[in-house]
Amino acid sequence: DLALLEAKARVKAELARMRSCAPRWTPHEGPQREFYESDCEEVLYGGAAGGGKTACAVALANPWAKNRDLRMLILRRRSVDLDDLIDKAKKIYRDGDLASPRPYGGVAAETVFVASPAHTATFPSGARVRFDHCQNIDDWEKYQGQEYSIIVFEELTQFLEKQYLEVKSRLRSSSPGLPAAVNRPCSAS
């Protein structure tokens, strides 16, 4: 029915307008803001489950999303733990979350997510965020020869020391204006 299609198109257009007008994701005051705004090369951010560590880690790409040279790596230990991380990234980078207690719009509605060969978010500028895992002991070898200006180890306590040290050695930035930072959110046990 044509009227139904037109109504759906109007709703879709209104949602897009609302997302574009909504403020972008911002950190909560306190530890989350300190983590997000830190200019240290290495930061450890701990806290209880549900405190916003993952969302904050994902959002670390936001200030540099318009820099085509940004390469960010966000790691979880197990591949099955990537789904929640990618869902948060889709909200923060592309879709926004208008139903949140603190509604926000995405960084860029045109951000493209692909799942193969690697889970990657690519911003319109060409900036890229890779979501991956180190499930097997030697999975760090996947990153040999690569350069990342931001590396996040989600739930640091689950990684082996060798994995951490080898992946961390890929931290560098040859692009002026980009950080070189390792961020390690972890939950208190």
Side-chain angles (χ1 to χ4, degrees), residues 5-25:
L5 289 175
E6 289 173 347
K8 285 182 179 180
R10 281 193 303 276
V11 168
K12 186 176 180 180
E14 179 60 15
L15 280 173
R17 186 194 67 72
M18 289 170 62
R19 283 189 188 109
S20 69
C21 293
R24 302 300 171 246
W25 182 94

